[in-house]
Amino acid sequence: MITDTLRQQHKEILDMLDRPEMAAELIHFVESVHHPLEEQELFPFLDKQKCLAAGGPKCSFFMGIRLELDPLGGMKKSLQNFFAKTSFRPEPYPTLPWLTPQSPLSLPFEEHAVGADLAQSLLFLLKPENKELHTQFFAGIYKDYCRLLKMHVDKEDNCLFIIYEQAMRTTR
Ligand SMILES: [Fe+2]
């Protein structure tokens, strides 16, 4: 099952978190290996499943957190502050043409998009010529990136992947 691979990748991601010396390796794995795999293999399959509308075991919990605490809001504000003070602008995150804002998948997808902005900002700050900006901004953005990935892994391991695994069991 694809979720076996993705759960294993989550373990590898968690092992690299909160270790700033591994930031470039973490970013490469998340942004070039893990998130593309989810978007190419997992999300399109789930989008076609009727059970997605019914949600997973913790869908209402995660929706509630998004509505009441808006955990990505503070990260987006910090990024805007960083962009306002520097010349850096991230590449726009490619959209998935079939994904609607009403789909529960828009939640993890928004995390991929904000995560990509954070990741690109960190790679910019890792360049030797940006040493001064690194001192000012790296720690805050890195902390947000790790926090976002922890939330994301928890949401997928305990909800999204379970919807997939249940769907696979019923279609066998
Ligand atoms: Fe994931």
Side-chain angles (χ1 to χ4, degrees):
M1 260 198 240
I2 186 77
T3 47
D4 295 333
T5 306
L6 293 169
R7 282 182 194 279
Q8 183 53 41
Q9 290 185 350
H10 278 175
K11 282 187 191 144
E12 290 172 42
I13 290 168
L14 292 175
D15 278 347
M16 284 189 268
L17 290 182
D18 301 317
R19 294 164 73 184
E21 71 282 4
M22 294 197 78
E25 205 177 319
L26 169 71
I27 289 168
H28 171 74
F29 187 63
V30 171
E31 306 299 326
S32 305
V33 178
H34 182 67
H35 286 174
L37 182 63
E38 290 180 339
E39 290 179 19
Q40 285 155 21
E41 301 289 333
L42 181 74
F43 290 7
F45 173 86
L46 280 173
D47 189 60
K48 293 189 192 85
Q49 304 303 310
K50 283 200 185 95
C51 59
L52 183 68
K58 290 176 93 179
C59 258
S60 331
F61 171 73
F62 288 124
M63 270 298 186
I65 289 182
R66 185 203 214 179
L67 292 172
E68 281 179 35
L69 303 175
D70 186 22
L72 299 186
M75 296 180 192
K76 288 182 193 168
K77 258 191 208 158
S78 305
L79 276 173
Q80 288 310 321
N81 177 48
F82 171 61
F83 301 153
K85 291 184 177 153
T86 63
S87 59
F88 179 72
R89 298 291 177 273
E91 290 289 320
Y93 198 68
T95 52
L96 299 174
W98 47 265
L99 183 66
T100 65
Q102 292 76 32
S103 167
L105 292 170
S106 64
L107 239 90
F109 182 75
E110 188 188 18
E111 290 169 352
H112 285 193
V114 176
D117 284 355
L118 293 166
Q120 288 181 60
S121 304
L122 290 171
L123 291 178
F124 170 79
L125 291 168
L126 282 172
K127 290 182 180 168
E129 64 269 29
N130 296 325
K131 224 173 175 181
E132 268 180 45
L133 289 171
H134 183 286
T135 312
Q136 216 181 326
F137 292 106
F138 187 87
I141 297 176
Y142 178 73
K143 202 172 151 200
D144 279 350
Y145 189 59
C146 290
R147 202 155 61 88
L148 179 139
L149 288 173
K150 281 176 202 162
M151 285 190 318
H152 188 63
V153 164
D154 179 43
K155 190 176 282 131
E156 292 185 332
D157 277 352
N158 297 305
C159 196
L160 196 67
F161 292 175
I162 292 173
I163 304 175
Y164 175 89
E165 286 153 4
Q166 280 170 350
M168 288 305 277
R169 272 196 291 273
T170 52
T171 52
R172 262 179 207 167

